[in-house]
Amino acid sequence: DIVMSQSPDSLAVSLGERATINCKSSQSVLNSSNNKNSLAWFQQKPGQPPKLLVYWASTRESGVPDRFSGSGSGTDFTLTISSLQAEDVAAYYCYQFYSIPNTFGQGTKLEIK
Amino acid sequence: EVHLVESGGGLAQPGGSLRLSCAASTFTFSSYWMSWVRQAPGKGLEWVANIKEDGSEKYYVDSVKGRFTISRDNAKNSLYLQMNSLRAEDTAVYYCARSVAGLDYWGQGTLVTVSS
């Protein structure tokens, strides 16, 4: 199984500042058939289902604000929020859909400093 | 807007069974892989199972193999999860999700509690 490890587990950032969440996979999730990384990022607010933010590691889902961006390849990935807004307080999860079983990172809790 | 509604959750005794359903609407259900994902109270997300568009391929996380069965009825636009031999550690909110480059749409979830 591919193990997804996120860092940090929690993060406090001031409004308007940059937030960076890292995700490392135990093996590459680069899909050779399409040369894309099978990696997605989700945001989950309390009492709500997760919401897809980014897929193929760097493609922003329709309707997601452009302050959210994903980067990385192979085994190392990053979700960046360029200017933190109050509504971004949530838990964030990375997820690999390269191999079965699909697996999630343990989550990163983002708060306002 | 894609619409997914789970049902069938509730209280079950250890060793018991439950069948979850997920009703899909506003998209061509038969054209998509579908997944179940669960979240234990206060914990992270765990992928449980997925199923191909025509039901010919099914995959499971090891912890539910032999106990849970994913299925679908494309004529009814519905996804199912038959859960047998339930354990306390199966207690979670269960979400169905459409599987497109990740999981692009999710239902609101249904709570399964396994307790005596």
Side-chain angles (χ1 to χ4, degrees):
Chain A
D1 298 5
I2 296 178
V3 176
M4 306 299 289
S5 300
Q6 290 181 228
S7 62
D9 290 335
S10 63
L11 181 63
V13 175
S14 300
L15 289 173
E17 295 300 305
R18 178 185 299 261
T20 301
I21 299 171
N22 300 299
C23 176
K24 188 174 183 68
S25 58
S26 60
Q27 62 189 78
S28 176
V29 298
L30 179 61
N31 191 327
S32 58
S33 67
N34 60 8
N35 201 35
K36 295 181 178 182
N37 291 278
S38 301
L39 188 285
W41 288 96
F42 296 92
Q43 176 194 65
Q44 187 179 30
K45 297 180 179 180
Q48 296 184 19
K51 173 187 175 183
L52 179 65
L53 298 175
V54 170
Y55 57 96
W56 298 131
S58 60
T59 302
R60 193 181 305 113
E61 175 73 332
S62 176
V64 172
D66 61 7
R67 64 180 180 274
F68 291 91
S69 63
S71 62
S73 184
T75 61
D76 292 280
F77 302 92
T78 300
L79 176 70
T80 301
I81 308 172
S82 61
S83 177
L84 190 70
Q85 305 299 303
E87 60 265 32
D88 301 335
V89 170
Y92 292 84
Y93 296 90
C94 61
Y95 167 75
Q96 69 80 17
F97 50 97
Y98 175 80
S99 68
I100 296 296
N102 295 167
T103 47
F104 290 89
Q106 79 275 16
T108 294
K109 188 175 181 180
L110 178 59
E111 299 173 326
I112 304 294
K113 185 187 290 183
Chain B
E1 176 79 5
V2 169
H3 204 48
L4 297 167
V5 179
E6 302 92 341
S7 60
L11 178 63
Q13 292 197 333
S17 299
L18 280 176
R19 189 195 195 207
L20 306 184
S21 299
C22 172
S25 58
T26 69
F27 69 101
T28 306
F29 179 74
S30 59
S31 297
Y32 294 88
W33 282 73
M34 296 293 296
S35 298
W36 287 99
V37 175
R38 67 184 178 183
Q39 187 169 36
K43 302 297 184 183
L45 300 166
E46 181 181 35
W47 176 86
V48 173
N50 65 4
I51 184 169
K52 194 175 179 179
E53 297 95 327
D54 62 359
S56 62
E57 295 182 33
K58 306 174 184 182
Y59 300 96
Y60 302 90
V61 68
D62 280 352
S63 60
V64 308
K65 279 181 185 174
R67 300 189 300 121
F68 290 11
T69 301
I70 189 172
S71 63
R72 64 192 298 161
D73 185 335
N74 287 342
K76 295 183 177 180
N77 292 332
S78 292
L79 176 72
Y80 305 103
L81 187 67
Q82 178 66 44
M83 304 187 297
N84 299 330
S85 302
L86 283 163
R87 305 167 179 168
E89 55 264 35
D90 296 320
T91 294
V93 173
Y94 285 74
Y95 298 100
C96 67
R98 193 175 78 168
S99 305
V100 177
L103 302 163
D104 64 343
Y105 287 96
W106 299 59
Q108 289 297 312
T110 187
L111 176 63
V112 171
T113 303
V114 183
S115 175
S116 55

PDB file of all heavy atoms in Angstrom, chain B residues 1-5 23-30 32 76-77 98 105:
ATOM      1  N   GLU B   1     -25.832  20.364 -11.291  1.00  0.00           N
ATOM      2  CA  GLU B   1     -24.987  20.010 -10.148  1.00  0.00           C
ATOM      3  C   GLU B   1     -25.202  18.538  -9.810  1.00  0.00           C
ATOM      4  O   GLU B   1     -26.332  18.084  -9.667  1.00  0.00           O
ATOM      5  CB  GLU B   1     -25.346  20.895  -8.951  1.00  0.00           C
ATOM      6  CG  GLU B   1     -24.612  20.564  -7.668  1.00  0.00           C
ATOM      7  CD  GLU B   1     -23.194  21.116  -7.629  1.00  0.00           C
ATOM      8  OE1 GLU B   1     -22.826  21.842  -8.559  1.00  0.00           O
ATOM      9  OE2 GLU B   1     -22.465  20.799  -6.679  1.00  0.00           O
ATOM     10  N   VAL B   2     -24.107  17.809  -9.669  1.00  0.00           N
ATOM     11  CA  VAL B   2     -24.171  16.399  -9.289  1.00  0.00           C
ATOM     12  C   VAL B   2     -24.774  16.262  -7.896  1.00  0.00           C
ATOM     13  O   VAL B   2     -24.460  17.043  -6.988  1.00  0.00           O
ATOM     14  CB  VAL B   2     -22.756  15.795  -9.330  1.00  0.00           C
ATOM     15  CG1 VAL B   2     -22.729  14.423  -8.682  1.00  0.00           C
ATOM     16  CG2 VAL B   2     -22.258  15.728 -10.770  1.00  0.00           C
ATOM     17  N   HIS B   3     -25.644  15.273  -7.756  1.00  0.00           N
ATOM     18  CA  HIS B   3     -26.331  15.065  -6.486  1.00  0.00           C
ATOM     19  C   HIS B   3     -26.156  13.616  -6.060  1.00  0.00           C
ATOM     20  O   HIS B   3     -26.503  12.702  -6.823  1.00  0.00           O
ATOM     21  CB  HIS B   3     -27.807  15.409  -6.646  1.00  0.00           C
ATOM     22  CG  HIS B   3     -28.486  15.777  -5.366  1.00  0.00           C
ATOM     23  ND1 HIS B   3     -27.965  16.666  -4.464  1.00  0.00           N
ATOM     24  CD2 HIS B   3     -29.665  15.367  -4.833  1.00  0.00           C
ATOM     25  CE1 HIS B   3     -28.794  16.795  -3.443  1.00  0.00           C
ATOM     26  NE2 HIS B   3     -29.834  16.017  -3.633  1.00  0.00           N
ATOM     27  N   LEU B   4     -25.629  13.414  -4.840  1.00  0.00           N
ATOM     28  CA  LEU B   4     -25.447  12.080  -4.269  1.00  0.00           C
ATOM     29  C   LEU B   4     -26.039  12.085  -2.864  1.00  0.00           C
ATOM     30  O   LEU B   4     -25.692  12.953  -2.053  1.00  0.00           O
ATOM     31  CB  LEU B   4     -23.955  11.724  -4.202  1.00  0.00           C
ATOM     32  CG  LEU B   4     -23.216  11.620  -5.533  1.00  0.00           C
ATOM     33  CD1 LEU B   4     -21.705  11.574  -5.314  1.00  0.00           C
ATOM     34  CD2 LEU B   4     -23.681  10.405  -6.315  1.00  0.00           C
ATOM     35  N   VAL B   5     -26.919  11.117  -2.596  1.00  0.00           N
ATOM     36  CA  VAL B   5     -27.583  11.064  -1.291  1.00  0.00           C
ATOM     37  C   VAL B   5     -27.451   9.661  -0.726  1.00  0.00           C
ATOM     38  O   VAL B   5     -28.013   8.702  -1.279  1.00  0.00           O
ATOM     39  CB  VAL B   5     -29.060  11.462  -1.397  1.00  0.00           C
ATOM     40  CG1 VAL B   5     -29.715  11.371  -0.017  1.00  0.00           C
ATOM     41  CG2 VAL B   5     -29.206  12.864  -1.966  1.00  0.00           C
ATOM     42  N   ALA B  23     -28.030   7.275  -3.754  1.00  0.00           N
ATOM     43  CA  ALA B  23     -28.835   7.627  -4.923  1.00  0.00           C
ATOM     44  C   ALA B  23     -28.172   8.767  -5.667  1.00  0.00           C
ATOM     45  O   ALA B  23     -27.858   9.810  -5.080  1.00  0.00           O
ATOM     46  CB  ALA B  23     -30.240   8.028  -4.477  1.00  0.00           C
ATOM     47  N   ALA B  24     -27.953   8.546  -6.957  1.00  0.00           N
ATOM     48  CA  ALA B  24     -27.271   9.541  -7.787  1.00  0.00           C
ATOM     49  C   ALA B  24     -28.252  10.207  -8.733  1.00  0.00           C
ATOM     50  O   ALA B  24     -29.192   9.562  -9.233  1.00  0.00           O
ATOM     51  CB  ALA B  24     -26.146   8.873  -8.569  1.00  0.00           C
ATOM     52  N   SER B  25     -28.031  11.472  -8.996  1.00  0.00           N
ATOM     53  CA  SER B  25     -28.877  12.177  -9.957  1.00  0.00           C
ATOM     54  C   SER B  25     -28.102  13.306 -10.620  1.00  0.00           C
ATOM     55  O   SER B  25     -27.051  13.726 -10.131  1.00  0.00           O
ATOM     56  CB  SER B  25     -30.138  12.718  -9.286  1.00  0.00           C
ATOM     57  OG  SER B  25     -29.807  13.589  -8.227  1.00  0.00           O
ATOM     58  N   THR B  26     -28.650  13.759 -11.727  1.00  0.00           N
ATOM     59  CA  THR B  26     -28.157  14.890 -12.527  1.00  0.00           C
ATOM     60  C   THR B  26     -26.838  14.597 -13.229  1.00  0.00           C
ATOM     61  O   THR B  26     -26.165  15.523 -13.674  1.00  0.00           O
ATOM     62  CB  THR B  26     -28.042  16.198 -11.722  1.00  0.00           C
ATOM     63  OG1 THR B  26     -27.002  16.089 -10.761  1.00  0.00           O
ATOM     64  CG2 THR B  26     -29.347  16.506 -11.036  1.00  0.00           C
ATOM     65  N   PHE B  27     -26.470  13.336 -13.361  1.00  0.00           N
ATOM     66  CA  PHE B  27     -25.350  12.980 -14.216  1.00  0.00           C
ATOM     67  C   PHE B  27     -25.564  11.549 -14.708  1.00  0.00           C
ATOM     68  O   PHE B  27     -26.405  10.821 -14.175  1.00  0.00           O
ATOM     69  CB  PHE B  27     -23.990  13.128 -13.507  1.00  0.00           C
ATOM     70  CG  PHE B  27     -23.720  12.143 -12.406  1.00  0.00           C
ATOM     71  CD1 PHE B  27     -22.910  11.031 -12.613  1.00  0.00           C
ATOM     72  CD2 PHE B  27     -24.273  12.310 -11.141  1.00  0.00           C
ATOM     73  CE1 PHE B  27     -22.647  10.134 -11.591  1.00  0.00           C
ATOM     74  CE2 PHE B  27     -24.020  11.425 -10.118  1.00  0.00           C
ATOM     75  CZ  PHE B  27     -23.208  10.326 -10.337  1.00  0.00           C
ATOM     76  N   THR B  28     -24.813  11.148 -15.705  1.00  0.00           N
ATOM     77  CA  THR B  28     -24.962   9.816 -16.284  1.00  0.00           C
ATOM     78  C   THR B  28     -24.211   8.824 -15.417  1.00  0.00           C
ATOM     79  O   THR B  28     -23.026   8.532 -15.630  1.00  0.00           O
ATOM     80  CB  THR B  28     -24.448   9.793 -17.732  1.00  0.00           C
ATOM     81  OG1 THR B  28     -25.100  10.826 -18.483  1.00  0.00           O
ATOM     82  CG2 THR B  28     -24.742   8.430 -18.374  1.00  0.00           C
ATOM     83  N   PHE B  29     -24.930   8.295 -14.432  1.00  0.00           N
ATOM     84  CA  PHE B  29     -24.342   7.438 -13.397  1.00  0.00           C
ATOM     85  C   PHE B  29     -23.553   6.285 -13.998  1.00  0.00           C
ATOM     86  O   PHE B  29     -22.460   5.959 -13.531  1.00  0.00           O
ATOM     87  CB  PHE B  29     -25.469   6.926 -12.498  1.00  0.00           C
ATOM     88  CG  PHE B  29     -25.034   6.000 -11.398  1.00  0.00           C
ATOM     89  CD1 PHE B  29     -24.367   6.487 -10.285  1.00  0.00           C
ATOM     90  CD2 PHE B  29     -25.319   4.642 -11.459  1.00  0.00           C
ATOM     91  CE1 PHE B  29     -23.982   5.639  -9.256  1.00  0.00           C
ATOM     92  CE2 PHE B  29     -24.938   3.783 -10.444  1.00  0.00           C
ATOM     93  CZ  PHE B  29     -24.269   4.276  -9.332  1.00  0.00           C
ATOM     94  N   SER B  30     -24.084   5.684 -15.050  1.00  0.00           N
ATOM     95  CA  SER B  30     -23.486   4.484 -15.627  1.00  0.00           C
ATOM     96  C   SER B  30     -22.149   4.744 -16.320  1.00  0.00           C
ATOM     97  O   SER B  30     -21.486   3.804 -16.756  1.00  0.00           O
ATOM     98  CB  SER B  30     -24.460   3.838 -16.622  1.00  0.00           C
ATOM     99  OG  SER B  30     -24.778   4.753 -17.653  1.00  0.00           O
ATOM    100  N   TYR B  32     -19.542   6.362 -14.849  1.00  0.00           N
ATOM    101  CA  TYR B  32     -18.516   6.708 -13.871  1.00  0.00           C
ATOM    102  C   TYR B  32     -18.205   5.587 -12.894  1.00  0.00           C
ATOM    103  O   TYR B  32     -19.108   4.887 -12.417  1.00  0.00           O
ATOM    104  CB  TYR B  32     -18.937   7.939 -13.064  1.00  0.00           C
ATOM    105  CG  TYR B  32     -19.034   9.196 -13.882  1.00  0.00           C
ATOM    106  CD1 TYR B  32     -20.219   9.539 -14.533  1.00  0.00           C
ATOM    107  CD2 TYR B  32     -17.938  10.041 -14.010  1.00  0.00           C
ATOM    108  CE1 TYR B  32     -20.307  10.690 -15.296  1.00  0.00           C
ATOM    109  CE2 TYR B  32     -18.015  11.201 -14.766  1.00  0.00           C
ATOM    110  CZ  TYR B  32     -19.202  11.505 -15.403  1.00  0.00           C
ATOM    111  OH  TYR B  32     -19.288  12.662 -16.153  1.00  0.00           O
ATOM    112  N   LYS B  76     -31.179   1.991 -11.777  1.00  0.00           N
ATOM    113  CA  LYS B  76     -31.761   2.766 -10.673  1.00  0.00           C
ATOM    114  C   LYS B  76     -30.856   3.917 -10.228  1.00  0.00           C
ATOM    115  O   LYS B  76     -31.150   4.587  -9.242  1.00  0.00           O
ATOM    116  CB  LYS B  76     -32.037   1.845  -9.485  1.00  0.00           C
ATOM    117  CG  LYS B  76     -33.104   0.786  -9.750  1.00  0.00           C
ATOM    118  CD  LYS B  76     -33.381  -0.037  -8.496  1.00  0.00           C
ATOM    119  CE  LYS B  76     -34.497  -1.055  -8.748  1.00  0.00           C
ATOM    120  NZ  LYS B  76     -34.779  -1.875  -7.543  1.00  0.00           N
ATOM    121  N   ASN B  77     -29.751   4.114 -10.950  1.00  0.00           N
ATOM    122  CA  ASN B  77     -28.791   5.180 -10.579  1.00  0.00           C
ATOM    123  C   ASN B  77     -28.389   5.083  -9.109  1.00  0.00           C
ATOM    124  O   ASN B  77     -28.367   6.093  -8.388  1.00  0.00           O
ATOM    125  CB  ASN B  77     -29.378   6.565 -10.868  1.00  0.00           C
ATOM    126  CG  ASN B  77     -29.523   6.828 -12.352  1.00  0.00           C
ATOM    127  OD1 ASN B  77     -28.776   6.294 -13.169  1.00  0.00           O
ATOM    128  ND2 ASN B  77     -30.497   7.644 -12.713  1.00  0.00           N
ATOM    129  N   ARG B  98     -18.187  10.244  -6.478  1.00  0.00           N
ATOM    130  CA  ARG B  98     -17.927   9.945  -7.880  1.00  0.00           C
ATOM    131  C   ARG B  98     -16.423   9.981  -8.104  1.00  0.00           C
ATOM    132  O   ARG B  98     -15.731  10.894  -7.639  1.00  0.00           O
ATOM    133  CB  ARG B  98     -18.618  10.983  -8.770  1.00  0.00           C
ATOM    134  CG  ARG B  98     -18.677  10.588 -10.223  1.00  0.00           C
ATOM    135  CD  ARG B  98     -19.470  11.577 -11.045  1.00  0.00           C
ATOM    136  NE  ARG B  98     -18.711  12.782 -11.352  1.00  0.00           N
ATOM    137  CZ  ARG B  98     -19.104  13.691 -12.245  1.00  0.00           C
ATOM    138  NH1 ARG B  98     -20.242  13.520 -12.905  1.00  0.00           N
ATOM    139  NH2 ARG B  98     -18.357  14.759 -12.469  1.00  0.00           N
ATOM    140  N   TYR B 105     -17.156  14.564  -6.642  1.00  0.00           N
ATOM    141  CA  TYR B 105     -18.387  14.907  -5.942  1.00  0.00           C
ATOM    142  C   TYR B 105     -18.659  13.891  -4.851  1.00  0.00           C
ATOM    143  O   TYR B 105     -18.458  12.685  -5.042  1.00  0.00           O
ATOM    144  CB  TYR B 105     -19.571  14.971  -6.903  1.00  0.00           C
ATOM    145  CG  TYR B 105     -19.559  16.188  -7.800  1.00  0.00           C
ATOM    146  CD1 TYR B 105     -19.029  16.130  -9.082  1.00  0.00           C
ATOM    147  CD2 TYR B 105     -20.061  17.399  -7.347  1.00  0.00           C
ATOM    148  CE1 TYR B 105     -18.998  17.242  -9.897  1.00  0.00           C
ATOM    149  CE2 TYR B 105     -20.045  18.523  -8.158  1.00  0.00           C
ATOM    150  CZ  TYR B 105     -19.507  18.431  -9.420  1.00  0.00           C
ATOM    151  OH  TYR B 105     -19.479  19.542 -10.220  1.00  0.00           O
TER     152      TYR B 105
END
